[in-house]
Amino acid sequence: MDWGEIVKALGTALGIGLLVGAVRERQHGDHPVVAGMRTHALLALLGAVASSFGTATFATTLAAVALFAAASYHATRAEDPGLTGEVAMLVSVMLGGLARESTALAAGLGVVVALLLWAKEPLRRFSRELVSERELQDALLLAAAALVVLPLLPTGAIDPWGVVQPAVLWRLVVLVMAVGMLGHIALRAVGARRGLPVAGFFSGFASSTAAVAGYGQLARTQSAPVPAAAAAALLANLASLLLLAAVVGAVSPLLLRASAWSFAAGALGLLAVAATGLHRTRDAPTMPAAPQARAFHLTHALAVAALIAVVMLVSEAMRRWFGDAGALAAAALAALAELQAAGASVARLAGTGGLDITHARWGLVALLAASALSKSVLAFASGGARYGRIVCTGLVAMVAAAALVAWLAPA
């Protein structure tokens, strides 16, 4: 019998009970509480002692405490219909028993339980006031996509060329949905009235192409200063670049590691030009008071995955007919319209050995160049010459920086 371990377990159980009981008493103020510090301390010690006598004794003790909790609820349900106090009694017994097996785990869970009990009002406000019904539906949809649908999908390819893998494509769907959710939460956290930079960055996760056109319209109609609108468009492209890196990493982690410095250099190029535009217009206009109601659009995520599948098939066909150059040419053409789909195609080729890592790295640079070309043309067309020059400068800086690093730091 190790008395040191026994004393440690009993001390942990006592501390858990006192902590949980203290939170329960503070929440009720001057009103009587079902179980306070002394009761929870005794319950936790009871669980620790009972567990030392074996499973049967511990189960009997837990059942007895459950009967006491049920009697307590029956006596107080008219004034307090909630079950939190009664459930906390059972949790204290369980954590006391766990302290005999793992003091560290029991102590950690005790702190989590105390935090949950303390956060009653913040959690109630979050669920009833801060989160809308639509946002809750989006969160449940994302959870179902990641935890229910994804494990059920086959990991093997379903086409004759071995290109289209449902599990991989669905991971990209989940990625797009999760990025949209995180961007929505971040925008809610900082407030949409922070101005164009924040709104511009998060809009890029949905569509940087649409952001370039939208902010170009703001600049043309003088709803926003041209440098500020151009900076917002460049920050949208920064978000798109980050999403491209995430897509590449989801398909081919090896290619992401080989291209990480090129992505970082391209991001710094965009940030440098965007920061210059923001410095010129410190008093940028505000955006609408709240972000869009939907955190993401499932149809958009599915469309991206479908386009990725099509680009993968076309790239594989071009590779079989014309070699690596044909595959990269097909991906570059796709990048004129959808950068992430083209990036996924190149990453798949690199992951399956269809392209060596060096060619794949330069292929990603080519995709950035193709995307920059189409968006530069769109910037001039939507926002005029000055807006187009700033956006084009930022995109060229992105491509040049990425290409320079790819040349100086070979894989």
Side-chain angles (χ1 to χ4, degrees):
M1 181 180 294
D2 190 343
W3 285 101
E5 290 297 323
I6 293 175
V7 171
K8 182 180 178 182
L10 292 176
T12 301
L14 178 61
I16 292 171
L18 291 173
L19 179 62
V20 173
V23 173
R24 289 292 299 161
E25 288 202 8
R26 288 295 299 269
Q27 281 188 328
H28 282 258
D30 296 332
H31 300 285
V33 62
V34 172
M37 290 183 64
R38 292 182 301 169
T39 303
H40 277 280
L42 291 172
L43 288 172
L45 286 173
L46 179 62
V49 173
S51 66
S52 65
F53 288 97
T55 304
T57 302
F58 182 77
T60 303
T61 302
L62 187 63
V65 174
L67 289 176
F68 284 124
S72 171
Y73 176 74
H74 181 74
T76 60
R77 61 182 178 180
E79 296 80 15
D80 183 11
L83 282 170
T84 304
E86 288 73 17
V87 172
M89 293 171 61
L90 299 177
V91 171
S92 290
V93 177
M94 294 293 293
L95 291 179
L98 180 62
R100 290 300 307 270
E101 301 295 328
S102 174
T103 55
L105 178 59
L109 289 176
V111 173
V112 172
V113 170
L115 286 173
L116 288 174
L117 293 173
W118 171 82
K120 175 182 178 180
E121 291 303 323
L123 289 175
R124 177 180 294 178
R125 181 171 177 267
F126 175 80
S127 61
R128 296 185 179 183
E129 300 178 16
L130 297 182
V131 178
S132 67
E133 186 72 21
R134 176 62 68 181
E135 290 167 341
L136 182 59
Q137 292 177 10
D138 287 341
L140 293 174
L141 184 61
L142 174 60
L147 303 177
V148 178
V149 178
L150 182 58
L152 298 177
L153 292 176
T155 57
I158 58 174
D159 64 294
W161 290 343
V163 173
V164 179
Q165 297 173 293
V168 173
L169 290 176
W170 194 258
R171 275 206 304 270
L172 297 177
V173 171
V174 173
L175 175 63
V176 173
M177 293 165 64
V179 166
M181 175 66 75
L182 291 175
H184 184 84
I185 292 173
L187 194 55
R188 283 285 298 269
V190 301
R193 288 191 177 276
R194 297 290 182 179
L196 289 175
V198 173
F201 178 76
F202 290 118
S203 66
F205 287 117
S207 174
S208 56
T209 302
V212 169
Y215 289 116
Q217 290 296 320
L218 287 179
R220 183 179 291 275
T221 60
Q222 299 182 349
S223 299
V226 171
L234 291 176
L235 290 175
N237 281 275
L238 173 62
S240 180
L241 182 63
L242 296 177
L243 182 57
L244 173 64
V247 168
V248 170
V251 179
S252 175
L254 179 62
L255 179 57
L256 177 62
R257 288 193 293 270
S259 306
W261 288 110
S262 292
F263 281 128
L268 289 176
L270 282 171
L271 277 174
V273 180
T276 302
L278 292 176
H279 180 72
R280 294 178 185 174
T281 53
R282 296 183 181 180
D283 298 326
T286 59
M287 296 301 291
Q292 60 181 4
R294 297 299 302 268
F296 56 81
H297 291 279
L298 179 60
T299 53
H300 172 256
L302 293 174
V304 169
L307 184 58
I308 287 174
V310 171
V311 172
M312 284 181 174
L313 289 171
V314 172
S315 296
E316 178 64 18
M318 295 290 286
R319 187 187 71 81
R320 290 171 177 265
W321 295 337
F322 303 107
D324 291 353
L328 291 178
L333 289 175
L336 293 172
E338 176 55 54
L339 180 60
Q340 280 72 38
S345 174
V346 172
R348 191 205 65 82
L349 291 173
T352 58
L355 279 177
D356 62 66
I357 292 298
T358 300
H359 288 166
R361 290 176 73 216
W362 281 106
L364 292 178
V365 174
L367 301 188
L368 293 177
S371 178
L373 175 62
S374 65
K375 290 174 183 175
S376 295
V377 173
L378 180 61
F380 278 101
S382 62
R386 189 183 177 198
Y387 173 82
R389 282 196 302 269
I390 298 175
V391 172
C392 181
T393 300
L395 294 175
V396 169
M398 172 189 69
V399 176
L404 180 62
V405 170
W407 178 55
L408 295 176

